[in-house]
Amino acid sequence: MPPPPPSIAGKAACFLSFAAARDRCFSHRFLAAGLRPLAVHLPDAADPVTTVHMWVPASPPRNPLVLLHGFGASATWQWYPYLRPLIAAGFDPIVPDLVFFGNSCTRLPDRSDMFQAWSLKAALDAIGVKKFGLVGVSYGGFVGYKMAAMYPDAVDKVAMVCAGVCLEEKDLAEGLFPVAGVDEAAALLVPRRPDEVRRLVRLTFVRPPLIMPSCFLWDYIKVMGSDHIQEKTELLHALISGRQLSTLPKLKQKTLIVWGEQDKVFPMELAHRLKRHLEGNSRLVVIHNAGHAVNLEKPTEVCKSIIDFFQEPVAEDSNDEMV
C-alpha cells in the first residue's frame, strides 16, 4: 500500500529531509574524528561481486577495533558517540557497513552470517588489518561471533552488546520474544511504515520519544530503511531458521557480554545463556534503565565497559558488573 499524502508540514519536513541531514552530520563527525570512507571490492575492483564499505583511520591502525552495527540505521548513526572516547583511549576504530546495509552489497545469493563474516574478514585483509578486537551490537554481534569462531587467530577479544546468539528458533514459538515467528521478526526489524517504526522504537528503548510524527518517520524510512528490504528479510531468515544452541561453537577468546537490563527484543535470559555457554570465559555487564538499544541509550556506560575490557591483559579475569 502506498504511503498517504503528507500534510503541508510533512511536505516541508520531507523536502528538507531531517534524516538525510542527520546522516550527513554523522558522516562529518566521522571525518572530524580522522576516519575516511573506503569501499573494498571483492574479489577485486575489476569485477566487484561484493563491495564492503567501511570507515577506516587515515593512517595505518596500530590498535584496530572493529565496530559492527545492528539492524536499523546505518553504522554512522549507531557508532558516532564512541569514536572520540575510543580514539582517546588509544584505539583505532574501523566501522564497516555489513552487506546490504549502507553502501555494502553483493551479487551473490548467500545470506548467512558466515558469508557476512567472510566478506568482512576479506575486506580487512585487503587493507592490511590482520589482527583486531571486535565489538558487535545485536545482529552485528551474530556476525562478530561467527568471525571470532572462524578466525580465532585474527580476532583478539570480543564484546557482544545485546547480541542474542544463543537463541533457538523454538524460542520464538515458546514466547521468549515479542514475535512468534521468523516472518514476524523480519516485519519488526525491517519496518516499512511509521506504525512499524513506532513499535520497534518502543520495544528497543526504555524511554522512547513521546511524539513520533509520521512525516519524520516516512522520511527516516525513505533515507535509512528503503534499500534492500527483501535481502535484509532473507538475512533474518538465514539467521534464525533452524538455529540451535547445540551447534553454536564456544569461543576461545575472552568475551565481554553487555546487556540492557530491560531488553525486550533479546531478553536477559539470552545474556545468561551465553555466559553459561562460554563456560567462565566471559564477563557480563548489565546496564540499568536500558533496553535493546543500550548502545544508544547509555553510550557512556557501554563505551567505558568496552574500553576497560579491551585495555585489560588477556589473561585477567573479573567479576560480572551491574552499571
Side-chain angles (χ1 to χ4, degrees):
M1 180 181 297
S7 64
I8 295 175
K11 288 180 181 178
C14 292
F15 176 77
L16 296 173
S17 185
F18 179 71
R22 282 182 67 84
D23 192 46
R24 289 191 297 270
C25 176
F26 294 144
S27 294
H28 286 312
R29 290 195 184 192
F30 272 61
L31 291 169
L35 277 68
R36 61 185 179 89
L38 176 70
V40 178
H41 302 293
L42 305 171
D44 55 58
D47 184 24
V49 175
T50 300
T51 297
V52 177
H53 176 272
M54 59 178 68
W55 289 85
V56 300
S59 303
R62 292 176 295 177
N63 191 14
L65 187 62
V66 178
L67 309 177
L68 302 183
H69 64 85
F71 267 71
S74 65
T76 53
W77 288 53
Q78 297 186 35
W79 288 116
Y80 75 89
Y82 293 77
L83 297 181
R84 292 197 179 278
L86 289 174
I87 292 170
F91 297 99
D92 297 305
I94 297 174
V95 187
D97 290 324
L98 297 174
V99 175
F100 295 124
F101 296 86
N103 293 316
S104 296
C105 60
T106 186
R107 301 203 307 267
L108 298 176
D110 196 337
R111 302 292 182 259
S112 67
D113 53 350
M114 181 180 295
F115 176 73
Q116 291 274 15
W118 174 86
S119 299
L120 183 53
K121 179 62 166 59
L124 292 169
D125 285 343
I127 64 173
V129 176
K130 304 297 183 182
K131 195 171 183 66
F132 48 89
L134 194 151
V135 183
V137 170
S138 193
Y139 177 69
F142 284 80
V143 176
Y145 195 99
K146 181 65 72 173
M147 284 188 72
M150 291 171 62
Y151 308 108
D153 294 334
V155 180
D156 182 26
K157 297 169 76 174
V158 185
M160 308 287 291
V161 182
C162 289
V165 295
C166 284
L167 74 84
E168 299 185 283
E169 184 180 8
K170 67 178 183 179
D171 290 329
L172 279 72
E174 292 176 356
L176 184 62
F177 305 109
V179 296
V182 181
D183 288 332
E184 192 179 347
L188 173 67
L189 295 174
V190 189
R192 307 185 190 193
R193 297 181 58 85
D195 60 312
E196 295 171 343
V197 178
R198 290 188 189 97
R199 183 190 179 202
L200 179 60
V201 171
R202 287 166 181 156
L203 275 172
T204 52
F205 286 82
V206 170
R207 294 184 177 88
L210 294 177
I211 301 174
M212 291 180 270
S214 291
C215 61
F216 288 103
L217 297 181
W218 279 120
D219 179 43
Y220 170 83
I221 292 169
K222 180 179 179 181
V223 173
M224 286 283 109
S226 61
D227 292 339
H228 303 301
I229 290 176
Q230 179 60 37
E231 290 84 354
K232 290 175 181 175
T233 301
E234 292 167 1
L235 292 177
L236 288 170
H237 276 272
L239 191 70
I240 300 173
S241 297
R243 192 176 186 91
Q244 294 180 322
L245 180 59
S246 60
T247 63
L248 186 71
K250 299 181 189 295
L251 297 185
K252 299 178 180 179
Q253 299 92 335
K254 283 287 184 182
T255 304
L256 173 68
I257 305 168
V258 180
W259 226 269
E261 186 181 30
Q262 300 181 50
D263 192 336
K264 297 177 183 177
V265 176
F266 290 142
M268 278 295 308
E269 159 60 22
L270 292 180
H272 296 299
R273 192 184 290 182
L274 177 57
K275 184 168 175 58
R276 292 193 299 269
H277 183 73
L278 294 176
E279 298 179 342
N281 198 32
S282 66
R283 178 203 311 163
L284 173 61
V285 175
V286 179
I287 309 293
H288 289 302
N289 299 317
H292 186 67
V294 63
N295 59 309
L296 298 177
E297 287 189 294
K298 300 284 185 175
T300 301
E301 293 88 336
V302 173
C303 193
K304 182 180 184 303
S305 295
I306 291 170
I307 290 172
D308 290 346
F309 173 71
F310 281 97
Q311 286 184 335
E312 290 174 357
V314 173
E316 183 172 330
D317 290 322
S318 58
N319 297 322
D320 295 348
E321 299 177 24
M322 300 287 286
V323 179

